[in-house]
Amino acid sequence: MDTLTATPTIEPGAKADRPVAVYCKGITKTYGSGQSAVRALRGVDVDVRTGELMMLVGPSGCGKTTLISIIAGVLDRDEGECTVLGKDFKVLGPSGTTQFRATNVGFVFQAFNLIPTLTLAENVAVPLLINRVRRADAIEQACEMLKKVGLGDRTKDIPTRLSGGQQQRVAISRALVHKPKLLVCDEPTSALDHVTGQKVMELLRSVAAGNDLSLVVVTHDARIFEFADRIAEMDDGRIVSMTTGKGHQHSSFDASHAK
Amino acid sequence: MIRIAIKMLMGDRLKYLGLLAGMAFAAMMISQQMSIFLGLSSQTGTFIREMTSTDLWVMDPQLRFSEDTISLPDTALQRVRSIEGVAHAVPLYKGFLKAQLADGTRTSVIVVGVDDATLSGAPATIKNGDATLLRQEPGILIDERDMGTKLAYTRSGGAPMKLGDRISINDRDALVVGTYRGSPSFFWDPTIYTTYSRALQFAPRERRLMSFVMVKVAPGQDVLAVKERIERITGYAARTSVDFENITKAYILKSTGILINFGIAVGLGFVIGMIVTGQTFFNFTLDNLRYFAALKAMGASTGTLVRMVLSQVLSVTWLAFGLGVGIAAFMGHFLAKTDLAFLMKWEVLVVTVGMMLVVGVVAALISLVKVLRLEPGVVFKG
C-alpha cells in the first residue's frame, strides 16, 4: 500500500477513469449543541468511483460511522456538498431519500440484522418487497441470489441455524438482490473469524467488480485492507490519509470456497 | 411486507401468545359482561313481554316500573271500557305478598290476578292443562322451575312443591292446581298466577287494589290513537308493552346501579386489555427495533412501517376477538340452561370489536411512535 496525502485524489489503481459515484466536499456534522456538542466530521472531502471498493478506517469515534451514514442517506449532514449517484439528499428530501435508498443502496451490517423468524429467502427478498416487487417474484430472485453465494440449498432455513459467515453471505445477498449501485458495509467482518472474513471480502470484491457497484466499507480489520482499491484513514472527524490498496488484483469469487 | 410483518410477530411465540391471551381475555370480558348486562336488562321486562294478550297497559301516571305498587280505583276499569276504540278491558292485580308453605317455610311471592271471566293474562305455557285450571277453588299456578327452588320446602330438607300442595298466602289458603313454564325474570320472587277476585282476597285490605287495566284495541283502530284518547280522557297513563318495558328497564338501570357495575367490569376488561396489549406489543417492538431500523435504512417508507405495525396488531386483534367472543359465547351456551342472564346480541359483537380495535390501535400507536422516531442510522452503531 502506498500512503497518499489527506486530499482525496484518484490513483490509477483506484479506477480514476470511472465515473464518480459518491462525491463529498467539506462535509461537517455536529451532534448536540453548546458545551456538549461533539463535532463528528470537520470538513471531509472524499469521492468513490463506480466499481471501486473504498475502505474507511480509523480509531473509534473518528467519524467513520457518521460519514458512511451520510453517504448512505440515513443521516443529514450539517454543511458541505454531497452527491450520491448524482443526487443530493438535501434536494431529494426525506421521502425522496428513502425511495433513493430503496432503489440504489444496499446495506451490510456488522450484526447482519437478519430477521430471525423469516427464512433466508424471505430475508433476502425484503429489499425487493420494499420496492413493491410481487412476492413470488421476489422470493424467486432471492433464491437465485442465495444460489450465487452458495446457499441455494438452504433457502427455507432460518438465519439462526447458520454460521456467522453464512449469515453474512445471506446479508450480502440481501444487500445485492435489488441490484443497487452503492453498497455500504459496516464492519462486515468484525463478527467473523479470519478465514471467513477473507471469504466474505472476496465475495464483496467479486460482486463489486462484476456489477459496476461502488462499495464503501467501514472496518477496523487490518487483515482485509488488501481488498480495498483505496483506504481512507480517518481521525478526529477528518480524512488524514488516503492509500491505495491491492483490491484490483483480486480475481472473481468462487462461491463454493465460502461454504 | 405485511406477511413479513406478521411472520415477525408470530415468530416470537411467547410474546405472540401473551399478546393473544391478553387481548382474548379483554374481548371475553367485554363481550361476556355486556351479554350478561343485556340479559339482565332484558329480564326486567319478562313479565310485560309474557302478557301477549294486551295492546295497552293503563296505569297510574306515577308508576315507575312493572313491580311498582301504585293502584288504580275500581272505577278506572269502567272509564277505560267506555273509551272509543277499546275492544275490551280487564283488570290485573300484581303485588308482593307473604306466603307460608305447609312445612312453615316463609317466603314472599308476586301474585298476579288475571280477569276471572276471560283469564286474559294467564301464562301461555301451562304444563298440565290450560288457564281454566284456575277456576278450581282456591287455585293457583306456579312456575315449574320454582317448585324445587324458590318454593321448595326448605325447612324440611328442601323437597320440591308438588301439584295438589297447599300454600298459605297472606293467611289465606291456596291450592297448586297447575304449573307453567315462565321465562327467567330479573325479579327474584316466585310469580304465582290466580284469578283477579282470588288475588284480591289474598291481598291486604286497601281502598285501591287494581294494579293495571289491560286493554285490547278494537280491530282497525290505531293503538297510539287509542292510547292518546285514554290518557286524555282518564288522566291515567296508557303504555304499549314496548314503552312499559322501556321505562321499567330505564328505572332499574337508574336505581340499582347495575349499569355502573357492568360498565366498570367492561371498562376493566378494556383497560386490562389495553395495558397487557400495549405493554406486550411495545416490548415486542423494542425487541425488534433493530430490524425496523434496518428496514428503514433499506428504504422502507413510513407508510410501509405503519402498515406493518398495524397489520401485526390488527391480525392479533381479530384473532383475539374471535377467541374471546367464542369463549364468552361458549359460556353463554351453558348459562342458557340456567336462569342466569346472558344475551349476546349483534350489538355486543360490534361494540366488542370496536373496543378491541381501539385497544389494538392504541397499542400500535405506542409502538409506532417508537418505530417512526427511530433514526435508521442506529443500524450502524453496532
Side-chain angles (χ1 to χ4, degrees):
Chain A
M1 281 188 278
D2 304 312
T3 304
L4 300 175
T5 60
T7 309
T9 54
I10 305 299
E11 290 298 299
K15 300 174 177 163
D17 54 328
R18 298 289 190 91
V20 174
V22 178
Y23 173 77
C24 296
K25 189 166 177 62
I27 299 292
T28 64
K29 179 71 184 176
T30 302
Y31 295 109
S33 59
Q35 288 191 330
S36 61
V38 177
R39 294 187 67 191
L41 297 179
R42 297 166 183 263
V44 171
D45 300 338
V46 69
D47 54 12
V48 184
R49 300 273 161 169
T50 302
E52 184 184 14
L53 195 161
M54 158 83 76
M55 282 188 188
L56 296 176
V57 302
S60 293
C62 68
K64 304 187 296 290
T65 299
T66 301
L67 182 56
I68 199 178
S69 298
I70 289 171
I71 290 172
V74 294
L75 186 68
D76 293 332
R77 65 187 188 272
D78 291 341
E79 289 167 4
E81 289 175 53
C82 182
T83 58
V84 177
L85 307 173
K87 303 286 182 189
D88 183 344
F89 296 136
K90 281 199 171 171
V91 175
L92 286 177
S95 64
T97 303
T98 301
Q99 182 59 46
F100 180 88
R101 288 200 307 268
T103 316
N104 296 296
V105 185
F107 292 86
V108 177
F109 308 107
Q110 180 180 358
F112 318 138
N113 283 339
L114 298 172
I115 300 171
T117 53
L118 303 184
T119 64
L120 302 191
E122 286 168 332
N123 265 295
V124 173
V126 164
L128 294 170
L129 295 171
I130 288 172
N131 281 299
R132 298 182 185 280
V133 174
R134 218 165 53 89
R135 184 180 161 83
D137 295 340
I139 294 291
E140 192 183 324
Q141 289 178 49
C143 290
E144 282 299 315
M145 198 69 220
L146 283 165
K147 204 182 285 179
K148 284 182 189 168
V149 298
L151 291 168
D153 56 340
R154 306 198 62 174
T155 55
K156 290 182 177 166
D157 253 336
I158 54 169
T160 47
R161 293 201 187 124
L162 304 184
S163 67
Q166 288 171 321
Q167 287 192 51
Q168 196 57 299
R169 276 151 60 197
V170 177
I172 290 168
S173 300
R174 180 179 63 184
L176 297 172
V177 72
H178 57 305
K179 299 183 176 60
K181 308 252 180 343
L182 173 68
L183 194 63
V184 289
C185 309
D186 180 36
E187 304 277 7
T189 59
S190 69
L192 308 175
D193 61 60
H194 175 62
V195 175
T196 312
Q198 292 284 313
K199 287 175 178 170
V200 163
M201 284 313 299
E202 281 174 17
L203 173 60
L204 283 173
R205 178 75 251 173
S206 69
V207 290
N211 296 290
D212 276 349
L213 183 67
S214 306
L215 280 88
V216 182
V217 178
V218 165
T219 187
H220 276 104
D221 188 354
R223 296 168 302 183
I224 64 167
F225 286 177
E226 58 178 301
F227 292 93
D229 288 315
R230 282 187 299 158
I231 301 167
E233 188 182 352
M234 294 186 71
D235 194 16
D236 197 22
R238 292 190 182 89
I239 291 178
V240 292
S241 72
M242 185 71 79
T243 54
T244 53
K246 297 174 184 172
H248 57 286
Q249 294 171 3
H250 282 264
S251 56
S252 62
F253 175 74
D254 178 358
S256 61
H257 294 299
K259 281 184 182 176
Chain B
M1 290 304 285
I2 285 173
R3 270 174 78 166
I4 297 279
I6 290 172
K7 273 194 91 170
M8 278 172 78
L9 176 69
M10 291 177 73
D12 190 342
R13 295 258 180 238
L14 207 60
K15 283 209 174 54
Y16 178 68
L17 290 177
L19 199 57
L20 189 61
M23 292 190 93
F25 176 77
M28 193 268 289
M29 274 277 280
I30 293 168
S31 59
Q32 192 232 27
Q33 291 296 310
M34 282 203 312
S35 297
I36 292 176
F37 170 74
L38 279 184
L40 281 175
S41 174
S42 169
Q43 285 186 1
T44 60
T46 299
F47 170 71
I48 300 165
R49 278 197 304 278
E50 292 197 338
M51 290 281 177
T52 52
S53 58
T54 189
D55 290 329
L56 290 169
W57 299 69
V58 179
M59 62 193 78
D60 188 284
Q62 291 186 50
L63 191 120
R64 296 162 299 176
F65 67 114
S66 64
E67 312 305 300
D68 207 355
T69 51
I70 305 176
S71 300
L72 299 168
D74 293 342
T75 52
L77 180 62
Q78 295 309 323
R79 292 183 69 195
V80 171
R81 278 176 176 164
S82 68
I83 289 169
E84 183 194 345
V86 173
H88 64 258
V90 294
L92 187 83
Y93 172 84
K94 188 165 192 277
F96 288 88
L97 299 178
K98 288 177 282 187
Q100 188 170 16
L101 310 191
D103 69 338
T105 303
R106 288 176 188 277
T107 183
S108 65
V109 293
I110 299 169
V111 172
V112 179
V114 300
D115 181 47
D116 292 54
T118 61
L119 298 174
S120 174
T125 53
I126 297 170
K127 305 296 279 188
N128 59 322
D130 57 30
T132 56
L133 289 167
L134 285 176
R135 299 223 161 92
Q136 293 178 45
E137 282 294 343
I140 58 169
L141 299 172
I142 62 172
D143 192 329
E144 63 174 358
R145 285 178 308 185
D146 295 337
M147 296 168 86
T149 53
K150 298 172 188 173
L151 293 174
Y153 295 103
T154 48
R155 291 192 65 182
S156 52
M161 183 172 279
K162 300 185 299 296
L163 281 175
D165 284 0
R166 289 190 175 268
I167 175 173
S168 170
I169 300 173
N170 214 13
D171 294 331
R172 298 276 182 166
D173 185 41
L175 172 69
V176 179
V177 293
T179 61
Y180 69 93
R181 179 78 182 174
S183 300
S185 171
F186 178 78
F187 305 100
W188 194 87
D189 290 325
T191 302
I192 287 174
Y193 282 86
T194 189
T195 59
Y196 183 73
S197 58
R198 203 173 295 130
L200 297 191
Q201 290 168 24
F202 294 148
R205 292 282 151 247
E206 284 183 55
R207 198 161 59 88
R208 295 176 171 193
L209 284 169
M210 186 168 59
S211 309
F212 303 99
V213 175
M214 315 291 285
V215 171
K216 192 76 188 167
V217 171
Q221 290 283 334
D222 178 34
V223 173
L224 294 180
V226 176
K227 163 189 154 71
E228 186 274 326
R229 216 172 287 143
I230 293 171
E231 289 182 337
R232 181 166 43 81
I233 294 170
T234 66
Y236 301 132
R239 295 192 169 108
T240 62
S241 293
V242 173
D243 288 345
F244 191 22
E245 191 178 336
N246 285 341
I247 65 162
T248 297
K249 202 178 288 180
Y251 177 78
I252 298 295
L253 297 187
K254 191 177 164 190
S255 60
T256 60
I258 63 167
L259 183 62
I260 293 169
N261 289 331
F262 279 95
I264 288 170
V266 170
L268 273 178
F270 181 73
V271 170
I272 290 170
M274 185 90 83
I275 292 170
V276 172
T277 308
Q279 175 78 26
T280 313
F281 192 69
F282 189 65
N283 283 344
F284 163 79
T285 306
L286 285 184
D287 289 350
N288 284 276
L289 218 47
R290 67 192 183 109
Y291 304 121
F292 281 115
L295 291 172
K296 222 170 171 177
M298 286 190 279
S301 65
T302 300
T304 302
L305 293 170
V306 168
R307 278 193 295 278
M308 285 180 76
V309 172
L310 278 179
S311 65
Q312 285 171 335
V313 169
L314 294 183
S315 66
V316 188
T317 303
W318 189 242
L319 194 59
F321 165 73
L323 206 59
V325 167
I327 293 169
F330 192 66
M331 290 163 76
H333 175 71
F334 287 101
L335 286 178
K337 293 171 183 165
T338 70
D339 281 357
L340 295 175
F342 190 91
L343 182 61
M344 189 179 271
K345 295 166 99 173
W346 65 267
E347 290 93 332
V348 171
L349 304 185
V350 171
V351 173
T352 306
V353 84
M355 291 179 95
M356 293 310 295
L357 281 175
V358 172
V359 168
V361 169
V362 169
L365 285 178
I366 296 167
S367 293
L368 265 176
V369 169
K370 193 79 185 167
V371 171
L372 296 181
R373 282 186 181 168
L374 189 63
E375 288 291 339
V378 298
V379 288
F380 291 132
K381 289 174 186 167

